[in-house]
Amino acid sequence: MPQRVISAETRTGALLADRFRTVRAETVALASPLAIEDQVVQPCEEASPTKWHLGHTTWFFERFVLRVRQPSHKAVDDRYERLFNSYYQTVGPMHPRSDRGLLSRPTVAQIHDYRSRIDDAVLDLLESPSDDPELADLVELGLNHEEQHQELLLTDAKQVLFANALEVGYRADAVAPRGSGTVQLEFQFEAAGFTELGAAAAGFAFDNERPRHREWLEAYLLANRLVTNGEYREFIRAGGYTTPELWLADGWTILHQRRWDRPLCWSQDLEREYTLGGWRILDPHAPVCHVSFYEAAAFAAWAGTRLPTEAEWENAAQSATPVEGNLRSTGWLHPAPAPAGIRRRQLVQLWGDVWEWCDSSYRPYPKFRPLKGSLGEYNGKFMCNQWVARGGSCVTPPGHVRASYRNFFYPHDRWQFLGIRLAKDA
Ligand SMILES: [Fe+2]
């Protein structure tokens, strides 16, 4: 039987179609341990309902792939544009972010139907002959966007269940290994010099990671591991939350407004924490998480250190490959203690566990250019008043994060898996 000749375009399309099926199915699988009622609730403005993530990621493909690349596409429901538009002002009006939990309709079942119809249409497009050079790039962006929302789906579901007095977990078998000791904290020396930062021109990266450029670094020291729960508890017991000298002014104000006296998801007695597996005894050797930038900076000040800049973090992370660690693929869904027996000068927990707060405001790189059209709103317009976090977390999809990857949050944000790595001047 003669072998079928497959063109390079078809091969690429088939690979992308496979990846599309896989990523889309993963999102549905992540929602499946949740009850329908869990998927509708919005416990705080940051945490969107599961069903909104399911709908919004689908709308992203409909709006930015099908409507612009498939002239015959007819909108599944014109009203979804307003409901599932997150923040694209150039697209049109949108339902307020803070009110996503008020949307009892469309139902979860209707959103799954929406997903299926858009999946079929995108797959048809990918599997038909095409001379559209931008289609693959747009679909790849849509898949990376979907992966970001997979992470948010888990993060947000954690807050939904944490807010519930029944004390249920997302998945009872989500258990991180417990530590038997804390790895000694050491600081690795990095020499002064120019470093190259940012994503290279080839391959997928978000626009905010480009262009690659040079930056000067003074010599610095970077901690070999993350700050632990035990260390953070010492900070609390030493009066960390009642010592104004440790805090930035905005942090001190918000600490009082919101009555912060411990990380989010910790019990009042500092002995237990809520995890995606349910309430657990706090592991003193595991990394602290759910702390704001203000708390991270206050801890660093108390420890006589500081947070690394994003340039310092990326400079060290570029040689810390492959990108392996406690990402979502471990199934633990919670940060884990640093492994015992690490080598001298080895940095651990760079990938996964918790996003690491950097002492860098989220700003454009020199000669940054946002994507063209409405997708230019994806990253660039947020480059004011937010702070950078690096390295991925225990709910980041494997393959999603890299050394140049820039996440960003408001300095008071705590709902994400956000933690602390320390640095010092050399
Ligand atoms: Fe989005």
Side-chain angles (χ1 to χ4, degrees), residues 56 86-87 145 149:
H56 164 71
S86 49
Y87 53 64
H145 171 256
H149 279 274

Side-chain angles (χ1 to χ4, degrees), residues 307-320:
L307 301 176
T309 65
E310 67 168 325
E312 289 171 338
W313 192 96
E314 185 170 334
N315 177 56
Q318 288 183 108
S319 51

Side-chain angles (χ1 to χ4, degrees), residues 390-408:
R390 295 296 201 113
S393 81
C394 53
V395 291
T396 302
H400 182 73
V401 77
R402 56 196 156 263
S404 61
Y405 195 106
R406 308 174 80 197
N407 212 338
F408 50 93

Side-chain angles (χ1 to χ4, degrees), residues 52 56-57 60 86-88 145 148-149 152 378:
W52 189 87
H56 164 71
T57 48
F60 193 93
S86 49
Y87 53 64
Y88 295 89
H145 171 256
Q148 290 182 318
H149 279 274
L152 288 168
Y378 198 116

Side-chain angles (χ1 to χ4, degrees), residues 103-248:
L103 295 170
S104 58
R105 305 296 173 97
T107 64
V108 173
Q110 285 169 326
I111 291 174
H112 280 288
D113 177 62
Y114 178 42
R115 285 183 74 86
S116 302
R117 292 167 68 173
I118 296 301
D119 284 354
D120 289 347
V122 172
L123 286 167
D124 276 352
L125 189 60
L126 285 177
E127 287 167 346
S128 16
S130 166
D131 53 3
D132 180 350
E134 290 178 24
L135 176 62
D137 289 347
L138 277 175
V139 172
E140 191 55 49
L141 177 66
L143 292 172
N144 277 271
H145 171 256
E146 180 117 5
E147 288 175 337
Q148 290 182 318
H149 279 274
Q150 289 176 357
E151 172 152 4
L152 288 168
L153 188 157
L154 288 172
T155 311
D156 298 356
K158 182 173 180 179
Q159 295 310 313
V160 168
L161 297 170
F162 173 56
N164 193 303
L166 292 187
E167 302 200 351
V168 292
Y170 161 77
R171 242 186 43 207
D173 62 342
V175 185
R178 293 186 72 83
S180 53
T182 292
V183 167
Q184 192 181 347
L185 182 66
E186 288 179 357
F187 285 85
Q188 177 171 312
F189 176 78
E190 300 280 348
F194 276 108
T195 184
E196 282 211 4
L197 303 173
F204 179 82
F206 288 105
D207 57 1
N208 62 2
E209 299 169 58
R210 293 189 166 121
R212 195 158 168 85
H213 61 284
R214 287 189 314 167
E215 200 159 315
W216 175 263
L217 292 178
E218 298 296 337
Y220 65 101
L221 297 160
L222 188 64
N224 60 336
R225 61 159 172 81
L226 297 167
V227 169
T228 65
N229 285 326
E231 290 163 338
Y232 199 85
R233 192 158 51 188
E234 268 181 62
F235 161 72
I236 299 173
R237 288 178 175 156
Y241 282 81
T242 54
T243 308
E245 303 92 293
L246 299 173
W247 292 77
L248 291 160

Side-chain angles (χ1 to χ4, degrees), residues 245-321:
E245 303 92 293
L246 299 173
W247 292 77
L248 291 160
D250 287 353
W252 189 245
T253 300
I254 207 164
L255 172 159
H256 284 94
Q257 282 169 348
R258 302 192 181 188
R259 298 186 182 157
W260 286 347
D261 59 5
R262 60 188 186 277
L264 184 67
C265 297
W266 279 29
S267 62
Q268 202 164 15
D269 63 3
L270 315 183
E271 297 296 337
R272 298 193 311 146
E273 65 177 332
Y274 183 75
T275 75
L276 279 163
W279 280 94
R280 299 263 157 76
I281 302 292
L282 196 73
D283 181 350
H285 313 299
V288 66
C289 72
H290 297 303
V291 288
S292 64
F293 174 79
Y294 298 126
E295 289 162 296
F299 179 91
W302 174 75
T305 60
R306 61 174 174 81
L307 301 176
T309 65
E310 67 168 325
E312 289 171 338
W313 192 96
E314 185 170 334
N315 177 56
Q318 288 183 108
S319 51
T321 52

